[in-house]
């Protein structure tokens, strides 16, 4: 079913790409767009992870350069039954994280310096477990390829508007079609990626909470990240909004509720689902606040300080 959903989403994005091409150049434009879409899909399958990591200036770390972070990822990956992913650090003050890679054997987890500085060790474990859940659910390829193709659709729409459309094509829309293309094509691409993003975020929250062993660690982390995301801008994400759905919390400003144009479920709804899961698992489920810390034991059973992940 996961592969079927992936194929359907990629087909939808390719169809949008072809539709934009048709509005620009008629039937020949649609065929050119199909060729471009096929080449884009093939290229992004092998290179999309490197493209996104490079876009955000992420650099790889190891046990020598970041022993606590890499050790935490290794322990949680073991709990999840996953191969050890590569670990990357982004020099970004906004706390956030994402996972990428075409499969679990070629996966990467990237976190910001802001995330490491502002979250407790337990909260960080909840976030990393969420990203590992995306890897385990084989979401990372779809999320990264979607970001690349959605960005290409928006770029092609802008290209078509710049040239004013093809007034001689058979659709007869001319400049009107070009304007509609500029508005509707990026919107259609956004709607497709949003629909898939919401369901996958809920699923990753659930599985990630089970991997970490305490749903409220992730719930507390989401509160902190959500609050900081509205105060600390992520300039690279603002320049590349097609990648926003990859992050655990929308890094763009002005997105706090569930609506048609939100790339993520509302944080309140996600916390409610995690509280329900905590109750089902028999875990303690206190009210969530930005300064709360959850059980002072790490997911692998050792004592863990609550003042911060590295303190």
């Amino acid at each position: 079913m996961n592969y079927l959903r992936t194929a359907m989403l990629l087909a939808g994005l390719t169809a949008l790409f072809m539709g934009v091409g048709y509005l620009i150049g008629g039937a020949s434009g649609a065929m050119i767009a199909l060729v471009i879409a096929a080449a884009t899909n093939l290229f992004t399958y092998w290179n999309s992870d490197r493209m996104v990591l490079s876009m955000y200036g992420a650099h790889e770390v190891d046990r020598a350069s970041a022993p606590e972070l890499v050790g935490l990822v290794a322990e949680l990956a073991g709990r999840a039954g996953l191969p050890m992913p590569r670990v990357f650090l982004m020099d970004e003050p906004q706390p956030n994280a994402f996972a990428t890679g075409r499969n679990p054997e070629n996966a990467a987890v990237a976190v910001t310096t802001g995330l490491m500085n502002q979250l407790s060790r337990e909260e960080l474990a909840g976030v990393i477990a969420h990203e590992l859940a995306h890897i385990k659910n084989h979401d990372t390829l779809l999320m990264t390829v979607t970001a690349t193709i959605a960005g290409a659709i928006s770029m092609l729409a802008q290209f078509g508007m710049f040239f004013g459309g093809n007034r001689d094509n058979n659709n007869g829309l001319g400049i009107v079609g070009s304007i509609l293309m500029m508005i509707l094509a990026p919107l259609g691409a956004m709607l497709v990626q949003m629909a898939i993003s919401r369901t996958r975020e809920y699923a990753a929250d659930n599985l990630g909470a089970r991997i970490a062993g305490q749903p409220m660690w992730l719930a507390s982390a989401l509160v902190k990240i959500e609050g900081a995301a509205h105060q600390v801008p992520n300039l690279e994400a603002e320049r590349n909004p097609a990648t926003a759905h990859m992050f655990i919390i929308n890094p763009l400003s002005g997105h706090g509720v569930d609506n048609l144009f939100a790339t993520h479920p509302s944080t309140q709804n996600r916390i409610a689902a995690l509280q329900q899961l905590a109750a089902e698992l028999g875990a303690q489920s206190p009210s969530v606040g930005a300064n709360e810390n959850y059980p002072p034991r790490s997911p692998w059973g050792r004592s863990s300080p609550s003042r911060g992940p590295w303190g």
Side-chain angles (χ1 to χ4, degrees), residues 132-296:
L132 292 174
H134 276 309
I135 295 172
K136 192 172 183 68
N137 288 338
H138 295 266
D139 294 338
T140 51
L141 172 64
L142 179 62
M143 293 167 69
T144 311
V145 170
T146 299
T148 304
I149 299 178
I153 291 173
S154 298
M155 183 173 63
L156 184 60
Q158 293 170 4
F159 175 83
M161 184 60 185
F162 178 77
F163 285 98
N166 184 351
R167 295 181 179 83
D168 297 326
N169 63 28
N170 294 328
N171 62 30
L173 293 178
I175 189 64
V176 175
S178 182
I179 295 173
L180 289 175
M181 169 195 63
M182 181 181 181
I183 298 172
L184 297 179
L187 177 60
M190 288 172 62
L191 292 177
V192 174
Q193 73 179 64
M194 289 169 196
I196 202 70
S197 178
R198 292 190 196 182
T199 58
R200 290 175 185 270
E201 288 305 315
Y202 281 123
D205 284 348
N206 187 289
L207 179 57
R210 295 174 186 274
I211 292 171
Q214 171 51 279
M216 300 313 296
W217 291 348
L218 177 57
S220 181
L222 291 177
V223 172
K224 288 187 178 180
I225 300 171
E226 171 77 10
H230 292 291
Q231 299 175 15
V232 182
N234 185 326
L235 298 181
E236 193 59 47
E238 297 288 348
R239 286 191 289 265
N240 299 278
T243 63
H245 67 286
M246 296 182 60
F247 288 84
I248 188 170
I249 289 286
N250 192 341
L252 308 178
S253 58
H255 294 271
V257 296
D258 260 336
N259 57 53
L260 187 62
F261 302 100
T263 59
H264 293 67
S266 74
T267 301
Q268 182 179 2
N269 289 352
R270 294 171 70 179
I271 290 172
L274 288 166
Q275 289 174 325
Q276 181 178 353
L277 177 62
E280 292 173 0
L281 296 176
Q284 184 180 4
S285 180
S287 60
V288 180
N291 295 320
E292 292 185 20
N293 292 305
Y294 290 94

Side-chain angles (χ1 to χ4, degrees), residues 8-98:
M8 290 176 62
L9 179 61
L10 292 178
L13 288 169
T14 300
L16 284 170
F17 203 83
M18 291 179 65
V20 174
Y22 181 80
L23 286 172
I24 294 176
S28 59
M31 290 304 299
I32 293 173
L34 176 61
V35 173
I36 294 174
T40 301
N41 283 332
L42 182 62
F43 178 80
T44 54
Y45 177 82
W46 295 103
N47 299 285
S48 57
D49 54 342
R50 281 175 285 184
M51 290 170 59
V52 173
L53 290 167
S54 176
M55 180 186 302
Y56 284 95
H59 61 276
E60 189 169 3
V61 295
D62 54 24
R63 288 187 181 273
S65 56
E68 292 285 345
L69 175 62
V70 174
L72 180 58
V73 174
E75 293 287 352
L76 289 168
R79 287 173 62 89
L82 289 168
M84 176 62 184
R86 297 165 67 193
V87 183
F88 287 80
L89 191 61
M90 296 174 281
D91 187 14
E92 166 60 49
Q94 184 190 91
N96 228 317
F98 66 81

